[in-house]
Amino acid sequence: MPSLETDSARNGTAVAAGAPVCVLAKVGEASLKGRNRRQFLDQLRRNLKAAMSGLDARVLDGGSVLRIAVPGEPEAERVGSRLERVFGFANASVCLACERDSEAIADTGMVAFERLRPASFSVRVRRRDKSFPLTSQQLEREVGAAIQRRTALPVDLSRPGLELRVELDQRSAYVHVRELAGAGGLPVGSSGRAICLLSGGIDSPVAALMAMKRGLSVEFVHFSGEPYLDPVATSKAQAQARVLNGFQAARPGPMWVVPFGDQQRMLSAVSPPANLIVLYRRQMARVACEMAARTGASALVTGDSLGQVSSQTLPNMASVEDASELALLRPLLTWDKREVMAKAASLGILALSELAAEDACPLFTDGKQRTAVPRAELLESEAQLDLAELAESAARRARRVDPGVFLDPLEPESRAS
């Protein structure tokens, strides 16, 4: 829908004789829940308030539509940027509020006609207050007639030059200024807590984001190749976690850095080099489960995509999953690399993720890895070490890093879809 804003609105002054500006944020699938619907909505409201931190914006009302009061269009723009990172909303609208009267609605809507000069128009009304004495169709006709008296324009219901959208609740009528995309999904925190294995590469941060979209609150575990590798990959992962925390601002996830190089050296001493990455990943799963026990997480999240590399073939993924006591979630299982890169670019972290850094996984390997490591060989190698004790030791030594929360506008990169 074309914008109703004017030059005065851009400067922060409400249009149409002081009509206040607000944002209506509409709940998505959480509104369809049954007896536990209130829990989802309460979590969504908490998440929204945290995302609005630092803005001149007040979250009002409850139910399936939340009203966000703002002083003008510039702050509404900033609210829209934050709403893109609050999972659980289907869509949102920047609106001008006015009295629940056809003439007042027409006066407010005239801003659009004066600015856009359409050749035809239509009016669409949605009543959330069903006690209002007019039906939606009756009010559409009244508002349309009031606008025709002002403009002499024809009504075109099939291909209007301007579609004026209006919503009514028990307080006010809201004339839509602009439609905003919603993040969709479920409120972060409504589905429990998970540990995401964050490598610093392209895939794992996108997997973390998709886990959040299904309501999981995420903490991050980064396996560092220290003392054998420099900490560049760790710095990348920390920067990624800061951006991701913008999607869970009510409870930002810490990043746990696990020094893993010594355990990789021990595993390399008991196994053929071509089996090592699967062995490493099995041990990473054990360590992550130990971390989950300490943090209250109920699942692990990885950036695996079926068939992408040798360790992500079906046999090798099954071997890694066997080593985990928790559900191992793979949100990107069916994604191809271009889809993952486009999503990372939309977050503004693709270039960061592509920065050169030594990954822990290839440490002590000869490069070539088997696509189906026999289970018997894995168990034979692992029997030579007390891997449960090593996992517990690694979890004890993990150091906590608080990445912070990035709430500034995201800057999508050119490769974003």
Side-chain angles (χ1 to χ4, degrees):
M1 175 184 173
S3 170
L4 307 192
E5 66 183 37
T6 64
D7 291 337
S8 62
R10 293 192 196 97
N11 293 327
T13 304
V15 299
V21 181
C22 67
V23 177
L24 299 182
K26 299 174 184 178
V27 178
E29 62 182 287
S31 64
L32 304 177
K33 298 297 180 181
R35 287 180 296 179
N36 58 352
R37 178 173 178 267
R38 175 49 54 190
Q39 298 173 20
F40 283 85
L41 296 182
D42 287 346
Q43 183 66 57
L44 181 56
R45 189 184 178 95
R46 288 192 292 271
N47 294 349
L48 178 60
K49 285 186 173 181
M52 297 298 116
S53 175
L55 298 184
D56 187 2
R58 292 180 297 122
V59 179
L60 308 171
D61 307 332
S64 60
V65 179
L66 275 68
R67 185 164 52 103
I68 306 168
V70 293
E73 277 281 313
E75 200 70 355
E77 291 285 344
R78 289 185 276 272
V79 167
S81 173
R82 301 285 182 90
L83 273 172
E84 294 176 354
R85 282 171 280 184
V86 183
F87 289 120
F89 289 109
N91 55 67
S93 307
V94 181
C95 301
L96 301 175
C98 63
E99 294 181 8
R100 304 194 313 169
D101 172 81
S102 58
E103 295 296 330
I105 294 170
D107 285 340
T108 303
M110 280 305 297
V111 175
F113 292 88
E114 293 168 0
R115 180 169 183 263
L116 299 173
R117 306 290 181 182
S120 62
F121 74 98
S122 67
V123 179
R124 299 296 183 191
V125 171
R126 181 179 179 185
R127 297 177 311 146
R128 295 200 301 278
D129 176 14
K130 301 303 182 184
S131 67
F132 188 75
L134 300 180
T135 68
S136 296
Q137 291 75 21
Q138 289 170 335
L139 185 57
E140 287 171 355
R141 288 193 289 270
E142 283 202 6
V143 174
I147 289 173
Q148 280 190 312
R149 288 195 294 273
R150 291 161 171 78
T151 65
L153 290 175
V155 172
D156 184 345
L157 298 180
S158 58
R159 299 184 64 182
L162 172 66
E163 182 179 84
L164 193 70
R165 298 184 186 178
V166 182
E167 294 190 41
L168 271 77
D169 63 14
Q170 293 180 338
R171 303 172 191 80
S172 303
Y174 303 93
V175 178
H176 287 215
V177 173
R178 185 165 48 265
E179 302 302 310
L180 305 172
L186 293 171
V188 172
S190 62
S191 298
R193 190 176 306 169
I195 290 285
C196 180
L197 280 63
L198 192 64
S199 67
I202 298 172
D203 302 314
S204 54
V206 177
L209 184 71
M210 294 298 100
M212 292 179 196
K213 186 172 183 177
R214 298 312 305 162
L216 284 171
S217 173
V218 174
E219 295 193 14
F220 310 97
V221 170
H222 174 75
F223 289 90
S224 167
E226 55 188 78
Y228 302 99
L229 299 179
D230 62 46
V232 174
T234 303
S235 298
K236 287 169 56 181
Q238 182 175 344
Q240 291 170 343
R242 181 169 178 261
V243 173
L244 292 168
N245 275 341
F247 292 83
Q248 53 177 10
R251 187 188 179 280
M255 186 176 85
W256 301 92
V257 180
V258 177
F260 197 59
D262 286 335
Q263 297 207 15
Q264 291 176 279
R265 180 182 55 78
M266 286 186 274
L267 287 166
S268 70
V270 298
S271 171
N275 296 354
L276 277 177
I277 289 184
V278 174
L279 278 172
Y280 292 166
R281 290 171 67 85
R282 281 168 61 88
Q283 185 62 3
M284 287 176 179
R286 295 186 186 96
V287 175
C289 286
E290 287 287 339
M291 295 301 304
R294 288 164 164 74
T295 61
S298 302
L300 308 184
V301 176
T302 75
D304 293 346
S305 174
L306 184 60
Q308 181 170 256
V309 293
S310 60
S311 63
Q312 294 173 26
T313 61
L314 198 58
N316 285 345
M317 286 198 298
S319 292
V320 174
E321 194 154 346
D322 282 345
S324 176
E325 297 177 356
L326 298 177
L328 208 163
L329 309 180
R330 300 180 173 96
L332 308 185
L333 188 71
T334 63
W335 291 38
D336 64 36
K337 199 65 176 182
R338 290 180 62 185
E339 292 173 304
V340 178
M341 291 175 67
K343 191 64 177 179
S346 73
L347 301 175
I349 62 170
L350 179 56
L352 167 69
S353 303
E354 290 178 326
L355 289 175
E358 291 185 283
D359 185 11
C361 273
L363 191 60
F364 302 120
T365 69
D366 63 2
K368 187 175 180 61
Q369 297 292 299
R370 298 167 75 175
T371 57
V373 181
R375 177 179 173 81
E377 292 186 21
L378 293 170
L379 296 179
E380 181 182 354
S381 297
E382 290 177 342
Q384 301 177 59
L385 298 169
D386 187 346
L387 294 178
E389 169 57 31
L390 288 174
E392 186 177 349
S393 172
R396 286 198 307 268
R397 295 176 58 207
R399 63 181 183 272
R400 174 176 175 143
V401 175
D402 290 307
V405 180
F406 182 79
L407 286 174
D408 292 344
L410 296 174
E411 298 291 344
E413 298 167 17
S414 59
R415 286 175 284 178
S417 58

